[in-house]
Amino acid sequence: MNDFIAARSQMALSLGFHIIFSCIGMVMPFFMAVAHYYYLKTGQTVYKNVTKAWSKGVAIFFATGAVSGTVLSFELGLLWPEFMKHAGPIFGMPFSLEGTAFFIEAIALGFFLYGWDRFNPWFHWFTGVVVGVSGLASGILVVAANAWMNSPAGFEYLNGQYLNIDPIAAMFNEAWFSQALHMTIAAFAATGFAVAGVHALMILRGNNVIFHTKSFTIAAVFGCAAAIVQPLSGDISAKDVAIRQPAKLAAMEAHFHTEKSASLIVGGIPNEAEKKVDFAIKLPGFLSFLAHGDFTAEVTGLDRIPEENHPPVAVTHYAFQIMVGMGMAMMLVSVLYFTALWKKRKWLQEPWLLKLFAIATPLGFIAVEAGWTVTEVGRQPWIIYGIMRTANAVTPMPGIAYSFYLFTAIYVSLAAFVVFMLYRQIRMVGKLYDVD
Amino acid sequence: MLYIVITYLWASILLYLLLGGADFGAGIIELFTSQKNKQVTRKTLYSAIGPIWEANHMWLIIAIVILFVGFPVIYSTMSVNLHIPLTVMLIGIIARGTAFTFRHYDAVVDDMQHLYNTIFAISSFTTPLFLGIIAGSAVSGHIDPQASTFADAYIFSWLHWFSVTVGLFTVSICGFLASVYLIGETDVEHERLRFAHKAQFFNIAAVVCGALVFAAAWFEHIPLFDWVFGNWIGRIAILSATLSLIWMWTLLYQGKINLLRPLAGFQVTMILLTTTFRHFPNIVILKGGGYLSLTEHAGQEKTIEALAWALLLGSILILPALFYLIYSFQKKPVGYESQVH
């Protein structure tokens, strides 16, 4: 494995690991706040138990997310020193604000986790909400920094020099809003489905049914609402990418040839040598419509982009298909669930709906990982789009492959530990909370 | 504006050394505690650092963000030449944070606890050791951006006597801070005495390691003696630190514990002040006499301005909340033990 590929793999692994923990860390506090609210309003112990049980999950995920985030702030320099040397001062604004948001999150979490029966109950509840809000703010800020890599702004690039830096303009680059919106909703959908799925499984097994039903309902409502609105934000993102990064859109769609009334390609195997897609379903005009809101509009293909600036087509295309597929499946489950809530209450008693949720447990996170693969691989070969190539940013230190193996071992064992920890939490629900 | 940013950088390093250091030290104490006392120590430790440990480690993130936004050349040079110790330190941070959380939140208490405890204690030792090694390397003059061999560029940049002794010195300081901190966290007399003995042990260790640092500096031609004693600030700081140390021990033998923490904190602040003051604004000293300076290698003006505002705004939000958090958990309510789980 050469150093460049090793560095990219290590970065992908670290980000892919961190994103799961940060999503859960920023969304779960809202679920917790709802359960906590019901407890304070109704006094039903089951809601207190749900809040406490979830807060232990949040503590585990937050700690893991915090350390993996700390690691990332160093890895940016360890792996991409040339990038950070120039980009740090330009896109650093959201990071410095994120420091504050993250700090407040940690403080609020201290209050929340250790504050039972110590404070005014509503103050205690409020600290839980602050955990969520500041977590969300952190997430949006970090995504804004990533958006800058896709849509560099706030500086002039002249003869290899980065001049007239304006950190505020860099933060509010053109991509920040669409990316932050898409990611925030994704976090709610993914976490909602993951949490709902686990509780659905427990209900199906007949363990602590009331406890798990309350938990399931809160998570499912959040997750399903997010999954239903997500395609809209996806549409905003797609139209945005079509204008800013035509190469990325072309790779997502494996769209080799520039044409009017371009077809939307569903599935298929991109054949990069012959510049076509085998075995795909083609919907004529739909790509033009999705990218530009007009069935006859021209969509730039990879043929208009110099070969050396092409992103890897197959990976980007597959990842995009996976993301959309998972999103559609979740939307379908969500429509069924809301129908059940409003029109067909008896469905809620039937196991098939819960089984669907149990199956859908990982879908949201698969979509999140696939979506980030699209964003990151689709930006290649650039680390700062159109300005700096990823290959020129990598550390001169040889032997990065060993670092990659080491971090792989660490993250794999850490993931195993977290799963083990959750398994034990869930298994002990009956004993810890005395519920039926 | 630049000086505001530099002040924040220094203050976050100091706070990380004090608060994060006490936090690491708690784990180091565990490593140096006999088997029969471990359980009690762990309990005191948990009730002392549980609610604030996450916040204690945020200072490192603040420092690193200031460095990569405001002083990107310094950040990237250190990242390249100190890649290996930084990686080891990161592994320590991962291991420590997760082991601490897992051992508390594991719903089943069984043999796994032994594993969490071992990982926690060992990483509490290695992380500050490597933090010290990194700090020592930065000023040692061993970093050579022009080095041609792997060993010169990536190994001997940090593996030498001076850095290693600075690492050990950092570890003993952490142990010292934590012991003094924990004296005030328990009401049990013999517990208190045990922590006082620990403080004594780490105090002696710090003096011995400090002497070794000077010896290593002399051996490797690093003008440490001149940095520390070659100016009035340094001499006054060292003198007042020594006096406050004597005062602290006198108070401790009289059984007065109120002033112990501020005094220990003062001593460590003075140590950081003397070791950074003389070569300021140079924060990294390179092989052959080159250096990286906080004033010459700062980012462009607008970046520094935005960063300063972000930090000022951040402190308005963070500091009151943080003080309230620390204040709230100083007083233990009735039945606290039962709520910890």
Side-chain angles (χ1 to χ4, degrees):
Chain A
M1 182 180 259
N2 76 40
D3 288 327
F4 177 53
I5 295 297
R8 278 185 59 192
S9 309
Q10 184 177 328
M11 200 66 199
L13 177 75
S14 308
L15 287 165
F17 184 84
H18 180 67
I19 187 68
I20 294 177
F21 293 87
S22 28
C23 280
I24 293 175
M26 71 193 206
V27 173
M28 282 286 282
F30 290 101
F31 299 179
M32 239 159 56
V34 171
H36 196 179
Y37 178 85
Y38 280 130
Y39 166 63
L40 292 174
K41 279 287 170 191
T42 65
Q44 289 179 37
T45 327
V46 62
Y47 282 115
K48 185 182 184 182
N49 291 333
V50 170
T51 314
K52 281 203 166 184
W54 275 347
S55 73
K56 287 182 185 170
V58 167
I60 294 169
F61 278 97
F62 182 82
T64 315
V67 293
S68 58
T70 310
V71 171
L72 275 169
S73 65
F74 282 91
E75 267 181 337
L76 285 171
L78 292 175
L79 300 173
W80 315 106
E82 199 51 34
F83 164 66
M84 288 307 283
K85 199 196 257 172
H86 300 291
I90 311 173
F91 84 153
M93 193 65 193
F95 283 114
S96 32
L97 296 174
E98 195 255 347
T100 301
F102 190 32
F103 210 135
I104 290 174
E105 190 180 355
I107 295 171
L109 193 69
F111 274 114
F112 185 78
L113 291 178
Y114 297 85
W116 289 96
D117 307 322
R118 273 177 167 257
F119 302 105
N120 170 311
W122 286 106
F123 174 76
H124 182 224
W125 177 81
F126 174 72
T127 61
V129 176
V130 173
V131 175
V133 172
S134 49
L136 212 55
S138 293
I140 290 172
L141 288 162
V142 170
V143 173
N146 174 270
W148 178 85
M149 295 161 71
N150 286 318
S151 168
F155 64 98
E156 281 169 47
Y157 186 66
L158 279 172
N159 310 322
Q161 302 267 345
Y162 297 74
L163 305 168
N164 292 325
I165 291 174
D166 180 351
I168 309 290
M171 182 162 76
F172 294 110
N173 59 74
E174 284 175 8
W176 88 270
F177 179 75
S178 59
Q179 270 193 239
L181 181 72
H182 199 54
M183 183 62 229
T184 305
I185 299 173
F188 274 92
T191 310
F193 268 82
V195 175
V198 170
H199 290 293
L201 191 65
M202 291 300 122
I203 302 170
L204 286 168
R205 288 194 179 167
N207 299 341
N208 314 113
V209 172
I210 295 177
F211 174 92
H212 287 297
T213 307
K214 302 277 186 206
S215 314
F216 170 80
T217 310
I218 295 171
V221 168
F222 269 106
C224 291
I228 285 179
V229 295
Q230 184 65 320
L232 294 175
S233 86
D235 184 55
I236 297 174
S237 283
K239 291 196 162 59
D240 186 36
V241 168
I243 299 166
R244 279 188 305 96
Q245 289 175 288
K248 184 186 276 184
L249 186 87
M252 280 153 71
E253 273 300 320
H255 183 57
F256 289 105
H257 306 287
T258 305
E259 59 187 354
K260 289 185 175 166
S261 301
S263 314
L264 183 72
I265 294 174
V266 179
I269 300 168
N271 183 339
E272 286 184 63
E274 291 176 34
K275 311 220 174 298
K276 63 189 181 70
V277 185
D278 301 325
F279 315 111
I281 302 165
K282 292 186 176 177
L283 305 173
F286 273 88
L287 180 60
S288 295
F289 178 71
L290 286 176
H292 300 293
D294 170 1
F295 281 99
T296 58
E298 184 178 88
V299 180
T300 311
L302 287 162
D303 55 352
R304 287 264 180 89
I305 292 145
E307 193 96 26
E308 71 269 20
N309 293 347
H310 282 197
V313 177
V315 174
T316 316
H317 179 67
Y318 292 136
F320 182 65
Q321 301 291 314
I322 291 170
M323 178 188 77
V324 173
M326 300 293 142
M328 290 296 162
M330 287 157 72
M331 196 174 77
L332 205 68
V333 175
S334 307
V335 170
L336 288 172
Y337 182 66
F338 283 126
T339 313
L341 275 187
W342 279 313
K343 299 273 179 208
K344 309 262 185 194
R345 298 292 296 190
K346 70 173 173 25
W347 287 3
L348 294 174
Q349 312 299 325
E350 293 167 17
W352 63 266
L353 189 63
L354 289 170
K355 278 184 192 156
L356 270 183
F357 272 99
I359 295 166
T361 307
L363 296 193
F365 280 108
I366 295 174
V368 166
E369 299 286 0
W372 276 106
T373 307
V374 172
T375 319
E376 293 297 288
V377 176
R379 193 189 57 241
Q380 303 304 325
W382 304 103
I383 190 164
I384 308 173
Y385 185 66
I387 306 274
M388 185 191 282
R389 284 173 179 273
T390 316
N392 296 337
V394 71
T395 178
M397 189 175 107
I400 297 297
Y402 297 100
S403 163
F404 169 60
Y405 300 142
L406 184 68
F407 276 92
T408 306
I410 291 170
Y411 283 129
V412 168
S413 43
L414 210 51
F417 261 115
V418 172
V419 170
F420 173 70
M421 202 70 47
L422 283 187
Y423 168 74
R424 299 232 251 191
Q425 286 285 349
I426 294 163
R427 211 187 58 186
M428 294 299 282
V429 160
K431 286 202 179 121
L432 289 174
Y433 306 107
D434 191 28
V435 288
D436 41 31
Chain B
M1 279 307 203
L2 180 60
Y3 282 88
I4 295 180
V5 173
I6 293 174
T7 309
Y8 269 96
L9 178 63
W10 194 81
S12 358
I13 293 172
L14 174 67
L15 286 167
Y16 186 57
L17 184 61
L18 290 176
L19 301 169
D23 203 287
F24 285 124
I28 299 169
I29 292 179
E30 216 180 295
L31 196 65
F32 288 93
T33 298
S34 64
Q35 208 58 42
K36 69 177 170 58
N37 288 327
K38 271 201 170 130
Q39 204 52 42
V40 194
T41 308
R42 252 174 232 139
K43 245 188 168 155
T44 315
L45 189 155
Y46 189 78
S47 66
I49 66 174
I52 49 169
W53 83 271
E54 298 268 19
N56 288 343
H57 291 273
M58 293 295 151
W59 298 109
L60 176 65
I61 298 185
I62 304 283
I64 204 72
V65 168
I66 294 178
L67 213 54
F68 81 57
V69 177
F71 311 96
V73 177
I74 300 174
Y75 171 83
S76 58
T77 306
M78 289 180 77
S79 299
V80 171
N81 292 94
L82 302 177
H83 190 114
I84 295 168
L86 280 166
T87 302
V88 177
M89 180 202 75
L90 288 178
I91 293 168
I93 288 177
I94 299 177
R96 189 176 184 277
T98 47
F100 183 76
T101 309
F102 291 171
R103 79 171 176 185
H104 182 63
Y105 283 102
D106 195 339
V108 183
V109 178
D110 58 8
D111 287 349
M112 290 300 287
Q113 289 288 331
H114 184 67
L115 178 66
Y116 306 144
N117 290 334
T118 312
I119 293 176
F120 176 71
I122 292 175
S123 52
S124 291
F125 183 87
T126 57
T127 312
L129 175 70
F130 275 85
L131 275 166
I133 288 179
I134 291 159
S137 313
V139 294
S140 68
H142 283 78
I143 295 179
D144 183 3
Q146 262 82 50
S148 51
T149 67
F150 181 86
D152 283 340
Y154 304 109
I155 308 258
F156 298 122
S157 54
W158 57 276
L159 190 64
H160 44 82
W161 291 114
F162 179 70
S163 305
V164 174
T165 48
V166 172
L168 291 171
F169 181 65
T170 314
V171 170
S172 41
I173 294 235
C174 293
F176 173 69
L177 284 169
S179 326
V180 173
Y181 181 76
L182 289 174
I183 292 172
E185 284 295 310
T186 171
D187 298 325
V188 188
E189 189 54 38
H190 71 267
E191 271 282 288
R192 210 168 252 186
L193 203 64
R194 222 156 45 73
F195 289 127
H197 282 306
K198 286 277 177 279
Q200 203 170 19
F201 170 76
F202 285 111
N203 194 165
I204 294 167
V207 171
V208 172
C209 293
L212 289 175
V213 171
F214 275 100
W218 177 78
F219 181 65
E220 288 174 358
H221 309 291
I222 296 162
L224 181 67
F225 194 82
D226 177 56
W227 289 342
V228 174
F229 295 105
N231 61 91
W232 279 108
I233 299 273
R235 273 173 271 184
I236 293 170
I238 291 296
L239 185 70
S240 56
T242 314
L243 289 176
S244 76
L245 189 66
I246 297 169
W247 187 19
M248 196 194 91
W249 282 110
T250 319
L251 287 176
L252 190 59
Y253 283 116
Q254 292 168 351
K256 296 175 189 158
I257 59 166
N258 289 344
L259 274 177
L260 297 185
R261 285 179 196 176
L263 285 173
F266 175 76
Q267 286 141 25
V268 175
T269 311
M270 286 302 116
I271 292 169
L272 189 67
L273 181 70
T274 34
T275 47
T276 50
F277 176 76
R278 183 59 191 269
H279 52 81
F280 176 84
N282 303 339
I283 180 171
V284 177
I285 295 169
L286 302 169
K287 196 163 194 158
Y291 54 79
L292 297 177
S293 141
L294 287 173
T295 47
E296 285 168 43
H297 294 95
Q300 293 177 24
E301 207 182 318
K302 265 203 147 171
T303 302
I304 296 293
E305 213 165 274
L307 179 59
W309 281 114
L311 292 167
L312 289 167
L313 179 80
S315 354
I316 295 171
L317 294 167
I318 291 167
L319 292 178
L322 186 61
F323 282 125
Y324 187 55
L325 178 74
I326 295 170
Y327 167 79
S328 303
F329 289 97
Q330 286 289 318
K331 307 167 292 180
K332 296 192 192 77
V334 188
Y336 180 62
E337 283 305 319
S338 62
Q339 288 165 27
V340 169
H341 219 286

